[in-house]
Amino acid sequence: MLFRSIHAKGDPVAPLRRALLTRRAEVRPDSFVTRLLLRNGRAVGVEWQDAQGDFHEELADQVVVACGAMETPRLLLLSGLEHPQIGRNLMFHFQTISLGRLAQRAHYHKGRSVSHLHDDHIIPDPESFKVAADAGLPWIKGGMVEHCGPGHPILEASTYPWGAEHKVKMRESPFRDHLVAFTMQGEDLPQATNRIDLDPAVRDVRGHAVARTTYQPHPHEIVSSGYHGAKLEAILAEAGAEWTTTVTSPMLDGNPFGITSPAAKIPASKHVMGTARMGDDPTTSVCDRWGRLHDVPNVLVADSSLFPTSTGYGPTLTLVAMAIRNARALLG
């Protein structure tokens, strides 16, 4: 039987291939856009740097910026744009990870890294409203919960001490074959103090200021994690777990493993949102509802930096739908 690609995978490769096949697009590897070229309140193109470090200009009537919630605000700031909201309201997903050890072998390392999920905790319930009120909050919300395992054999092998005991641990496999995890991608509320700006001292290999991250969880995330983590542990216990525990990312003080490394305070979530939020009011948003910069209307932003909120779901499908919507609006 002959199989052929239908370009259905949810990543940038399929649409990129389609664009290249039109012969109206090209990829320039090892290139870096250093700034937008701005004249009289409009963009006339971009400046870019090649692998040899030489600078070039590419002129255009419309410019689309799709660098992600870290690099888009960096590029806007490198271009000299000064909107006070650029880089602000940075959001990740606050991860609550509840672990349980089952007596039987679960074989959770086989197959997909995430086998199932449930999203019951996204909608507040009467109990959560009471917990929120006790903490001085109007409400708390969680997020979708991924059902997953801790890791594959090579990762497990790196966690046990070397020597004769290592073989015993690998055969018993308490980490890989008996551990089950629930990972909640908890909603992270936008905070103006959580932000991306240009580092005043650190430069990349080309000599440009890198993106500096300032981030601190809000009480909403901390209270919500404590409330929902206890519920996830109760589910694991009901399923027969011999013991349960919960950790978070970023880790909070007093985590059960006693980890105090600065790296533990950095969110592990790859879901990065905000920093060039869209809205109708130019004083509180960087872009309009169609992703166009309020200050430079022929620059279209098409990535997760537009998100005004993070919700408790993965951002990819919303990001793709929004990019298609905004591109169609750009074309009229």
Side-chain angles (χ1 to χ4, degrees):
M1 182 178 292
L2 178 64
F3 291 92
R4 66 181 182 88
S5 171
I6 61 171
H7 306 290
K9 192 174 188 299
D11 64 18
V13 174
L16 177 59
R17 290 183 64 183
R18 290 176 179 174
L20 293 174
L21 288 171
T22 68
R23 300 187 183 278
R24 297 196 299 270
E26 61 179 288
V27 174
R28 297 179 183 173
D30 300 318
S31 301
F32 178 77
V33 173
T34 54
R35 64 188 176 99
L36 305 176
L37 299 174
L38 305 174
R39 293 176 191 164
N40 301 320
R42 291 183 64 83
V44 297
V46 299
E47 177 188 79
W48 61 280
Q49 197 171 4
D50 62 25
Q52 288 70 45
D54 297 326
F55 290 89
H56 309 269
E57 290 187 357
E58 193 73 30
L59 302 183
D61 295 328
Q62 305 283 346
V63 176
V64 177
V65 178
C67 311
M70 291 284 188
E71 290 296 313
T72 282
R74 179 193 182 200
L75 176 59
L76 299 181
L77 294 170
L78 286 173
S79 302
L81 293 174
E82 297 180 346
H83 193 294
Q85 292 295 321
I86 292 176
R88 294 194 180 274
N89 300 295
L90 169 68
M91 296 169 288
F92 297 91
H93 272 144
F94 192 89
Q95 295 180 332
T96 301
I97 307 165
S98 295
L99 306 167
R101 187 190 190 281
L102 301 178
Q104 70 274 25
R105 289 183 178 268
H107 303 300
Y108 238 117
H109 64 284
K110 297 182 179 180
R112 301 176 62 192
S113 57
V114 176
S115 60
H116 295 80
L117 63 82
H118 67 272
D119 59 2
D120 306 55
H121 311 298
I122 290 179
I123 305 299
D125 56 30
E127 184 182 355
S128 74
F129 277 114
K130 183 179 184 306
V131 171
D134 291 343
L137 299 169
W139 39 260
I140 55 173
K141 292 196 291 184
M144 69 177 187
V145 178
E146 301 170 343
H147 303 185
C148 49
H152 294 152
I154 293 178
L155 176 62
E156 179 188 36
S158 67
T159 65
Y160 301 142
W162 298 113
E165 185 183 357
H166 189 270
K167 292 182 179 180
V168 175
K169 288 293 185 184
M170 287 298 292
R171 291 190 184 102
E172 294 177 350
S173 191
F175 177 68
R176 169 175 48 90
D177 241 5
H178 292 271
L179 207 60
V180 177
F182 286 151
T183 301
M184 186 178 78
Q185 306 288 352
E187 179 162 358
D188 188 4
L189 297 188
Q191 305 295 323
T193 51
N194 289 340
R195 65 181 301 192
I196 299 292
D197 63 358
L198 298 180
D199 195 289
V202 180
R203 297 292 184 268
D204 65 14
V205 68
R206 299 177 180 86
H208 307 293
V210 303
R212 179 175 64 175
T213 302
T214 302
Y215 178 81
Q216 182 69 33
H218 183 269
H220 166 274
E221 286 79 65
I222 298 172
V223 174
S224 177
S225 176
Y227 171 72
H228 291 104
K231 286 188 170 294
L232 296 177
E233 286 195 48
I235 296 171
L236 292 170
E238 185 71 18
E242 298 174 332
W243 55 260
T244 61
T245 190
T246 296
V247 295
T248 64
S249 176
M251 280 193 172
L252 305 172
D253 294 332
N255 67 81
F257 297 127
I259 300 174
T260 57
S261 165
K265 300 291 186 179
I266 299 173
S269 172
K270 306 303 187 293
H271 299 164
V272 190
M273 297 153 282
T275 70
R277 57 177 9 195
M278 59 183 178
D280 293 332
D281 186 351
T283 64
T284 59
S285 58
V286 178
C287 300
D288 69 11
R289 63 175 61 195
W290 304 105
R292 295 172 297 203
L293 291 180
H294 287 301
D295 294 344
V296 190
N298 68 325
V299 173
L300 178 77
V301 176
D303 58 43
S304 58
S305 61
L306 290 175
F307 284 30
T309 58
S310 67
T311 78
Y313 286 108
T316 303
L317 295 180
T318 302
L319 166 57
V320 171
M322 187 172 60
I324 294 172
R325 164 189 178 272
N326 292 355
R328 287 176 174 170
L330 176 67
L331 297 172

